[in-house]
């Protein structure tokens, strides 16, 4: 599909595989800040991460995530890309629209398949309209128009852009998409020198509780280490695959990622990963997988083969805080849901998404719902922040 913008030819191409675009071309749009050899802001939109999903069979035929990557060319130069997928269900998204599907289908419509601009199985905020510097406005506009046109041409019910940035959400709303606000829990680094400095900002009761939880977890009878880069060995993935299968089968019925994804992670993603391993008597019994951005640590998966009190909190939340402080990261995103994170220093934060719905009547109904939902989310965030674990003076600063 081709459009005219500012007297230049703008072509929006739809690619069924990342193999059809060069890694350097994709990353020039997805993570231009990493051209100096540093970390990307968002490890999940890099070519290597998305290619690992595709090559491992975690997305593709039979998964409900069929790739249709978008690439915008201006006079033959690729200036913007986006990871887009045809979805046959709403699993692995974490911005829940099951009620929308039920409402449309109850009215005689067909909700699936739909289109999704997202990183599969990854509730982490980041740019979804990936543009070269200087092409932000043109790139988002062309990607949005191209995605909507693709969905319309194929008579699909909807297009969803999930976990986009707030700036992208505001621009998308100006382009005619519906903006949705939901919430997660994030930890913020206020320049802490160490974990005790963080604890000093908490109320006395919460501070004592966290110290008690950490002591309990550390007394499980083994060691807890955070590994990254070459310290991660194939045997660690053998263990973590067991953890992941256990958690996945209980939470989702079937794990989203294949075993081959973790083999790909060993080959191409180790430098992006902080892997917490809990070992007792030489055997790994629990672990947590985090991805490292330039300024954010992203908590992704946890699992265990033995239950030990407070080990989940230690491996997932407190080790992540330790890592963020030690490496000067400003934030930890601990994944979807979980109000229990509030007592452990993680505060509610807005999460943004954009939506296009083909049926006008359905779109109007969803728009009204989103207005009410946004008010409720804002109220929840205000209330939870006010009852958070921080001292009163700290809460006033945060508010």
């Amino acid at each position: 599909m081709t459009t005219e913008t500012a007297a230049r030819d703008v072509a929006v191409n739809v690619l069924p595989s990342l193999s059809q675009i060069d890694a350097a071309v994709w990353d020039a749009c997805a993570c231009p800040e990493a051209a100096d050899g540093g970390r990307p802001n968002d490890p999940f939109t890099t070519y290597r991460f998305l290619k690992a999903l595709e090559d491992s069979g975690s997305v593709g035929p039979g998964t409900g995530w069929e790739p249709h990557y978008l690439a915008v060319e201006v006079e033959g130069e690729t200036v913007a890309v986006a990871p887009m997928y045809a979805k046959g269900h709403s699993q692995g998204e974490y911005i829940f629209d099951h009620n929308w599907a039920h409402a449309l289908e109850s009215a005689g419509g067909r909700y699936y398949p739909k289109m999704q601009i997202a990183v599969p199985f990854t509730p982490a905020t980041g740019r979804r309209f990936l543009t070269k510097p200087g092409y932000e406005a043109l790139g988002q506009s062309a990607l949005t128009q191209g995605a909507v046109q693709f969905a319309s041409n194929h008579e699909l019910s909807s297009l969803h852009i999930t976990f986009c940035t707030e700036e992208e959400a505001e621009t998308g709303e100006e382009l005619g998409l519906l903006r949705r606000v939901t919430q997660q829990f994030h930890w913020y680094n206020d320049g802490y020198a160490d974990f005790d400095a963080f604890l000093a900002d908490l109320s006395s009761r919460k501070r004592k509780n966290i110290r008690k939880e950490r002591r309990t977890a550390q007394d499980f009878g083994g060691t807890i280490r955070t590994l990254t880069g070459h310290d991660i060995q194939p045997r660690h993935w053998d263990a973590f695959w067991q953890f992941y299968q256990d958690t996945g089968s209980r939470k989702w019925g079937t794990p989203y990622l294949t075993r081959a994804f973790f083999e790909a992670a060993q080959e191409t993603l180790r430098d992006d990963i902080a892997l917490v391993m809990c070992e007792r008597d030489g055997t790994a019994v629990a672990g947590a997988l985090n991805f490292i951005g330039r300024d954010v640590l992203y908590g992704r998966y946890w699992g265990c083969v033995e239950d030990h009190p407070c080990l989940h909190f230690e491996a997932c939340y407190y080790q992540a805080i330790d890592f963020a402080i030690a490496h000067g990261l400003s934030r930890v995103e601990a994944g979807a849901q979980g109000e229990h994170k509030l007592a452990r220093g993680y505060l509610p934060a807005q999460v943004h998404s954009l939506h296009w719905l083909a049926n006008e009547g359905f779109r109007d109904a969803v728009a009204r719902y989103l207005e009410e939902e946004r008010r409720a989310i804002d109220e929840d965030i205000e209330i939870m922040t006010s009852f958070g674990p921080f001292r009163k003076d700290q809460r006033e600063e945060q508010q």
Side-chain angles (χ1 to χ4, degrees), residues 18 21-30 45-47 50 69 81-83 130:
L18 275 180
I21 186 170
D22 186 77
V25 172
W26 180 278
D27 284 344
C29 299
T45 53
T46 61
Y47 189 92
L50 296 171
Y69 307 101
V81 296
L130 310 173

Side-chain angles (χ1 to χ4, degrees), residues 140-151:
Q140 180 165 353
S141 176
L143 289 167
T144 300
Q145 292 178 54
V148 168
Q149 185 175 333
F150 183 92

Side-chain angles (χ1 to χ4, degrees), residues 7 14 67 95-96 111 135 137 154 159 176 185 193 231 264 307 327 335 382:
V14 182
I95 299 292
F96 301 110
Y111 196 71
Y135 289 93
H154 290 81
L159 165 72
F185 291 87
D231 291 334
D307 290 324
H327 292 83
E382 183 177 354

Side-chain angles (χ1 to χ4, degrees), residues 8-86:
R8 293 181 293 178
D9 286 335
V10 179
V12 183
N13 302 308
V14 182
L15 311 176
S17 171
L18 275 180
S19 299
Q20 296 188 2
I21 186 170
D22 186 77
V25 172
W26 180 278
D27 284 344
C29 299
C31 51
E33 70 281 354
D36 61 1
R39 289 193 182 279
N41 291 332
D42 180 356
F44 303 115
T45 53
T46 61
Y47 189 92
R48 59 183 176 269
F49 183 87
L50 296 171
K51 193 68 161 56
L53 289 178
E54 187 178 321
D55 288 349
S56 67
S58 299
V59 301
T63 68
W65 290 82
E66 181 181 342
H68 294 276
Y69 307 101
L70 296 176
V72 175
E73 292 184 358
V74 175
E75 298 174 355
E77 177 188 2
T78 300
V79 301
V81 296
M84 187 171 76
Y85 303 84

